[in-house]
């Protein structure tokens, strides 16, 4: 809802600037290298609609793929490493992820000055930092497990029956701590 309100205000402000007599016609350009293939956006509303469509296509594809994966698991098809249905879902999800990232890059490229009050760059970088740190901490925990440094913590009586469970517990604890 906040995004929708911000998008509508941003769109209205851009349209006001486009029709303002004191302003020169504002053109919204594509990001490089797409700018080489397509002409500039015809209006801010067209660009915002396309960007929203790009993001929503990813959301809908993710929901559909999650449903298909759940059904595949429920029907015991997921035990195969190369289930073609899940491969199609992976490809569709990858394509729509690229489309969503492209849509957000287009929006940021053209609307950054209007979104400055929302401080999108700091939010974007903080999310990327969390993902980066989480990825590398998972690799470090995996390395600790593979080097058998977690072996001494195995305690079946306490519920920690394998190093895999211990590694998962450490990862989950750290994620909860980092998100708090």
């Amino acid at each position: 809802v906040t995004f929708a309100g911000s998008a509508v205000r941003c769109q209205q402000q851009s349209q006001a600037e486009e029709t303002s007599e004191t302003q020169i016609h504002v053109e919204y350009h594509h990001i490089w290298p797409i700018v080489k293939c397509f002409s500039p956006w015809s209006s801010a509303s067209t660009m915002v609609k396309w960007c929203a469509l790009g993001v929503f296509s990813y959301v809908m594809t993710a929901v559909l793929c999650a449903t298909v994966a759940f059904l595949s698991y429920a029907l015991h098809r997921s035990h195969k490493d190369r289930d073609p249905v899940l491969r199609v879902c992976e490809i569709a999800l990858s394509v729509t992820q690229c489309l969503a990232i492209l849509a957000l890059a287009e929006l940021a490229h053209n609307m950054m000055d209007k979104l400055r009050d929302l401080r999108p760059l700091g939010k974007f970088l903080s999310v990327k930092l969390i993902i980066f740190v989480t990825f590398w901490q998972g690799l470090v925990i995996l390395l600790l497990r593979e080097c058998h440094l977690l072996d001494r913590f195995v305690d079946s009586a306490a519920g920690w029956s394998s190093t895999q469970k211990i590694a998962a517990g450490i990862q989950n604890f750290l994620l909860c701590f980092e998100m708090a």
Side-chain angles (χ1 to χ4, degrees), residues 70-160:
F70 175 76
L71 292 174
S72 178
Y73 179 75
L75 298 173
H76 303 292
R77 292 180 51 129
S78 65
H79 66 280
K80 298 177 184 174
D81 288 336
R82 299 282 184 207
D83 187 356
V85 174
L86 295 179
R87 295 293 167 218
V88 169
C89 283
E90 289 173 358
I91 292 169
L93 200 55
S94 294
V95 168
T96 56
Q97 284 172 344
C98 291
L99 183 66
I101 290 171
L102 176 66
L104 292 174
E106 286 278 343
L107 184 68
H109 175 71
N110 286 299
M111 298 290 183
M112 189 59 80
D113 57 327
K114 293 167 185 60
L115 298 173
R116 209 163 298 291
D117 292 342
L118 298 174
R119 295 181 289 182
L121 184 61
K123 292 174 181 154
F124 175 78
L125 292 176
S126 66
V127 168
K128 292 299 172 192
L129 181 65
I130 289 170
I131 292 169
F132 178 79
V133 168
T134 303
F135 173 76
W136 284 103
Q137 115 187 344
L139 287 180
V140 168
I141 293 170
L142 178 66
L143 181 67
L144 291 173
R145 192 180 103 206
E146 293 299 319
C147 292
H148 303 286
L149 295 174
L150 299 178
D151 289 348
R152 63 181 169 173
F153 299 106
V154 174
D155 183 6
S156 297
W160 301 104

